Amino acid sequence: MKNLFNMSRFKIVFTVCVLLSLYSFVNAQAPAVTTVGITPPAPVTELTAVDTDNDHGHSITVKWTPSADDGAGANNVLGYRVMRSNSFEGPFNDTVGVVPLGSTNFENSSSIEEGAEGFIPDNTDFYYRVDALTGDSLVFSSSEVTGPVHSYGQWFNKGLIPVFFAVIIFTALTVLFVSAARKGKELYVRPLAGIEAVDDAIGRATEMGRPILYVFGLGVASDIATIASFTILSRVAKRVAEYQTNLIVPCYDPIIMTVAQDIVKTAYMDAGRPNDYKEDAVFFITQAQFAYVGAVNGIMIRELPATNIYMGKFYAESLMLAETGVVSGSIQIAGTDEIAQIPFFVVACDYTLIGEELFAASAYLGREPLLLGSLKAQDYAKAAVLVLALLGILAVNFSGDLGLTWLVNFKDWFKVID
Amino acid sequence: MRRQLPFFFVFLFGTFMVVQNFVPHEYSERAKEFLSDWTIIIGIFALALGIWSLIHVSLDKINKRKPNWEYSFVTLVGLVAMIFFGFTANVSGSWLTYFAALMVLLISLWLLVQGILGAGAGVTKAKEKFFAGIGLAAIFTFIALYDKSWAFHFYTSEGLENPLFKHFFSDIMVPLQATMFALLAFFISSASYRAFRARNLLATLLLIAALIVMLRFTPGPWGDLISKTSTWVMNVPNLAAQRAIVIGIGLGMVATALKVILGIERGYMGKG
């Protein structure tokens, strides 16, 4: 009897042990593991993966609705882990990104170079899964798998549509006014003191027997300000050739030096004085900013030019050049598109071309109808920008009050996503 | 044809780059990278022309003993020395033959250039100088080949680890640049002294605004009013004016680029 009781107790204990083992075994297979104090969070929902728009390919954007325990509910989500696989069944061993809590999307992208780290080949199917993470790395919840999705490049960036239309309209305006100018229509442009002073400044240098110093600044040949400066140099060089004044053009960039040499040489040939051209008038100094400034300042102090013309891209050295020019007693005309340097030139120079006046200078100096026509197009484009800016102010501030519901989305029409 | 061909290329590549800006595809990116690489290659060849221009102008000043010709001499010595330091590395720790080789190189280059440039310019004994330069160049080559205490390093970065190269750059070049930059403070003071004067209404407004902004960064019993006023001046009228200028600049840049692409603007070709 005693043995029988013992046998029964043994069976009970044995059965309980087996049941506990079975229970532990079953729970070990589940992706979510419960540890003391941390429960698995709710998984993310509505997981989608699409090719990233308006790019060169090799990029997939994954979006989801955050877990219910992200900032609410159990509030134990610390972040999300984005996993990738080449098949629906997995394995999902490839962690492509980890984002903080509150995130709703992740862009899985790579460079276009095939050997680059994390390279994503185009037109290859991928599957994604997002895990909601907690403070314990073993406690997380996985979402449903989404896919297949593959990346590919787009042939047109839809985010730049407003820019595209602006370019088309501006080009059309330019062609329109240039055509009008070709037909002989008189186009009025307001006088610019800085431009009108160039001829007088060259004449002053001739009378004083001192050279003219022309400085391109620190730009490179591909800068628009430098290209505008080339045009001004060609006009100045032609006048200099006609008046037989000396011209000094120290260059920061060797490509600018070669272009400037050709411009000055051609100007002397056009003026009928090819023998007066001195090759050493246009020379290279250095591509170190302050070494260049030191050299140009030295030229100013030694050569004492009567006229200094600064046209192009300038940075911190602008005031150093202009102030040294004041000390050497030169008349100074400056023009730059660098906003931060314009005040320095305004203070230290006799005449300053502010912003777009630098780009208009070529039209002013030559007075050619084609160039004046493009100036008019610029003016009308600026007027259009002004009208759009006013509409934008109304749209942002007063559209609701004025009942102009069509203005509510006005600013979105001009949104540019690059 | 000589003048039409450049305009054709400008139109072709200019239009291509405008279109490329709107096409994000990989092929478009690769084309842009290819063209950008070519601008770097052209820049490097242009640098050779630039260095020759610098040498030519400096030598002319030295030969004709123009005022301050000594600075041109220092320029040329510095140019050759830094090239030598950058392409060589001291191997054994002995500097004697290293500096001897540098001196021989400098003298031989000086004589060679005098001989080449002076031949047409009537420099005395140009031919003798040229041959003397050749002789010294041969001595330098002999030292370079057989002296084991230093070595040339092309296509590698050992030369950049040369302590002389590093010292000349970090202990001479960088402090000199910093010194020039520091001079800006004095230039700003002298420019401000001339500019901030109450000549008329606008100049007086400029003076008051400048005073408020400067006081904000000066320790003193100004309180919050100066700080808030200064912030308002910088964020409202100043920013508004800057943005207006930026809009004008943007339109001007687009117009100039369009004129260049369409061949309306031809000043960069030397004919306005």
Side-chain angles (χ1 to χ4, degrees):
Chain A
M1 188 65 177
K2 193 175 176 182
N3 285 339
L4 187 64
F5 178 71
N6 285 340
M7 279 299 289
S8 297
R9 197 166 58 176
F10 172 73
K11 280 181 186 171
I12 291 167
V13 168
F14 177 75
T15 307
V16 166
C17 285
V18 167
L19 285 172
L20 275 174
S21 303
L22 276 173
Y23 177 78
S24 300
F25 176 75
V26 165
N27 282 335
Q29 300 300 307
V33 176
T34 304
T35 58
V36 175
I38 299 181
T39 54
V44 303
T45 54
E46 296 174 346
L47 177 67
T48 56
V50 295
D51 167 59
T52 306
D53 210 3
N54 301 323
D55 69 339
H56 51 57
H58 310 285
S59 178
I60 292 169
T61 301
V62 183
K63 293 181 186 173
W64 60 86
T65 301
S67 161
D69 294 322
D70 182 340
N75 198 18
N76 59 355
V77 169
L78 290 185
Y80 299 99
R81 180 174 59 204
V82 182
M83 313 290 289
R84 188 180 72 194
S85 171
N86 288 91
S87 74
F88 186 85
E89 293 80 22
F92 285 85
N93 296 327
D94 208 0
T95 303
V96 293
V98 178
V99 292
L101 78 164
S103 303
T104 58
N105 64 79
F106 173 75
E107 190 175 309
N108 180 208
S109 61
S110 75
S111 83
I112 60 176
E113 298 303 327
E114 208 167 310
E117 196 184 324
F119 175 71
I120 301 171
D122 277 347
N123 301 311
T124 303
D125 285 344
F126 289 105
Y127 298 83
Y128 286 86
R129 187 187 84 191
V130 175
D131 299 341
L133 305 174
T134 64
D136 189 337
S137 60
L138 295 175
V139 178
F140 57 88
S141 291
S142 299
S143 67
E144 304 270 332
V145 173
T146 186
V149 59
H150 63 263
S151 63
Y152 54 93
Q154 276 72 43
W155 286 100
F156 185 77
N157 187 344
K158 291 192 282 294
L160 292 179
I161 283 177
V163 176
F164 179 75
F165 281 114
V167 168
I168 298 289
I169 292 168
F170 189 79
T171 308
L173 272 175
T174 304
V175 169
L176 183 73
F177 281 104
V178 163
S179 304
R182 269 188 211 267
K183 288 172 189 164
K185 186 178 174 186
E186 273 292 314
L187 297 169
Y188 170 77
V189 286
R190 66 176 173 89
L192 277 181
I195 304 295
E196 288 172 2
V198 169
D199 279 345
D200 295 337
I202 296 172
R204 177 177 184 262
T206 311
E207 284 167 15
M208 293 173 78
R210 281 154 59 174
I212 292 168
L213 179 69
Y214 193 100
V215 182
F216 279 100
L218 265 59
V220 291
S222 54
D223 288 327
I224 300 289
T226 308
I227 294 173
S229 187
F230 285 145
T231 311
I232 298 169
L233 174 65
S234 73
R235 311 268 182 212
V236 169
K238 196 161 177 237
R239 280 278 186 270
V240 161
E242 286 166 4
Y243 295 169
Q244 293 184 293
T245 318
N246 282 338
L247 181 65
I248 304 172
V249 187
C251 297
Y252 172 83
D253 184 77
I255 297 179
I256 293 178
M257 179 201 78
T258 52
V259 176
Q261 279 177 341
D262 197 53
I263 287 172
V264 173
K265 191 174 179 181
T266 307
Y268 272 82
M269 284 166 60
D270 287 347
R273 297 181 199 276
N275 294 332
D276 288 346
Y277 168 66
K278 290 177 203 147
E279 198 160 316
D280 289 347
V282 183
F283 53 96
F284 170 74
I285 297 181
T286 177
Q287 284 190 301
Q289 181 181 18
F290 290 107
Y292 176 75
V293 173
V296 176
N297 284 355
I299 292 169
M300 283 191 217
I301 297 295
R302 284 191 299 274
E303 306 291 336
L304 295 174
T307 300
N308 295 342
I309 301 176
Y310 311 111
M311 296 286 174
K313 219 164 201 29
F314 292 84
Y315 300 104
E317 74 289 348
S318 60
L319 189 62
M320 300 175 76
L321 292 170
E323 281 293 297
T324 309
V326 169
V327 166
S328 66
S330 312
I331 187 169
Q332 304 194 99
I333 305 168
T336 182
D337 61 347
E338 282 296 315
I339 308 284
Q341 308 310 319
I342 290 173
F344 295 131
F345 278 142
V346 168
V347 159
C349 295
D350 299 281
Y351 301 94
T352 306
L353 303 178
I354 297 174
E356 59 173 336
E357 291 172 355
L358 169 66
F359 305 113
S362 62
Y364 272 87
L365 285 168
R367 290 276 160 180
E368 284 176 24
L370 298 185
L371 294 174
L372 289 175
S374 68
L375 262 189
K376 275 294 180 190
Q378 242 179 279
D379 284 344
Y380 276 87
K382 220 187 318 178
V385 167
L386 188 63
V387 168
L388 290 172
L390 286 171
L391 283 174
I393 293 169
L394 286 175
V396 169
N397 294 300
F398 304 113
S399 55
D401 296 339
L402 293 172
L404 300 169
T405 49
W406 61 273
L407 266 185
V408 171
N409 295 324
F410 178 76
K411 60 179 171 57
D412 291 334
W413 299 350
F414 300 92
K415 206 172 182 179
V416 172
I417 307 161
D418 198 1
Chain B
M1 186 64 176
R2 189 170 161 265
R3 296 201 75 83
Q4 271 88 30
L5 200 59
F7 292 129
F8 170 72
F9 281 129
V10 165
F11 175 77
L12 183 69
F13 287 107
T15 310
F16 174 78
M17 293 309 289
V18 169
V19 170
Q20 189 279 328
N21 189 50
F22 294 100
V23 178
H25 198 275
E26 184 179 338
Y27 296 152
S28 165
E29 292 267 331
R30 290 200 186 277
K32 184 185 172 188
E33 272 176 29
F34 175 78
L35 290 172
S36 299
D37 289 344
W38 269 104
T39 59
I40 296 170
I41 293 167
I42 290 168
I44 291 168
F45 278 101
L47 188 61
L49 291 174
I51 291 172
W52 174 245
S53 163
L54 177 65
I55 292 171
H56 194 269
V57 167
S58 301
L59 282 173
D60 187 62
K61 277 191 189 160
I62 295 168
N63 279 337
K64 292 179 183 165
R65 294 294 189 265
K66 288 184 180 174
N68 297 115
W69 63 271
E70 296 89 353
Y71 296 122
S72 298
F73 188 77
V74 172
T75 300
L76 291 179
V77 168
L79 175 70
V80 175
M82 284 302 276
I83 291 172
F84 184 75
F85 294 150
F87 279 119
T88 59
N90 187 267
V91 176
S92 72
S94 161
W95 291 97
L96 181 63
T97 47
Y98 187 76
F99 282 111
L102 174 60
M103 292 308 298
V104 169
L105 176 67
L106 280 170
I107 297 168
S108 76
L109 281 174
W110 175 255
L111 290 169
L112 277 171
V113 173
Q114 286 277 296
I116 293 168
L117 288 180
V123 168
T124 53
K125 299 183 184 174
K127 208 194 256 181
E128 286 84 348
K129 283 178 181 172
F130 178 77
F131 286 117
I134 293 280
L136 282 174
I139 294 172
F140 172 77
T141 308
F142 181 81
I143 297 173
L145 286 173
Y146 292 105
D147 184 2
K148 301 296 173 202
S149 68
W150 60 277
F152 277 107
H153 290 276
F154 292 112
Y155 309 118
T156 61
S157 62
E158 277 93 344
L160 298 180
E161 299 303 318
N162 185 341
L164 279 171
F165 184 87
K166 282 158 72 171
H167 282 308
F168 266 70
F169 181 77
S170 59
D171 298 335
I172 296 179
M173 178 78 171
V174 170
L176 280 173
Q177 300 231 53
T179 305
M180 289 294 295
F181 199 12
L183 285 175
L184 202 55
F186 299 99
F187 283 121
I188 287 178
S189 305
S190 72
S192 304
Y193 177 75
R194 285 204 324 276
F196 298 146
R197 292 186 183 180
R199 280 181 292 251
N200 49 43
L201 175 64
L202 286 176
T204 311
L205 281 175
L206 175 66
L207 171 63
I208 293 168
L211 207 60
I212 292 170
V213 173
M214 279 193 287
L215 282 175
R216 183 203 172 172
F217 295 103
T218 313
W222 321 122
D224 253 356
L225 179 63
I226 290 285
S227 174
K228 284 181 182 168
T229 312
S230 167
T231 306
W232 179 86
V233 165
M234 295 302 289
N235 288 345
V236 181
N238 172 59
L239 200 54
Q242 278 193 31
R243 284 176 177 168
I245 295 173
V246 165
I247 290 171
I249 287 172
L251 288 169
M253 287 169 87
V254 172
T256 303
L258 206 54
K259 284 185 287 188
V260 169
I261 290 171
L262 295 176
I264 299 171
E265 183 81 76
R266 298 176 176 206
Y268 62 93
M269 283 288 295
K271 192 145 182 102

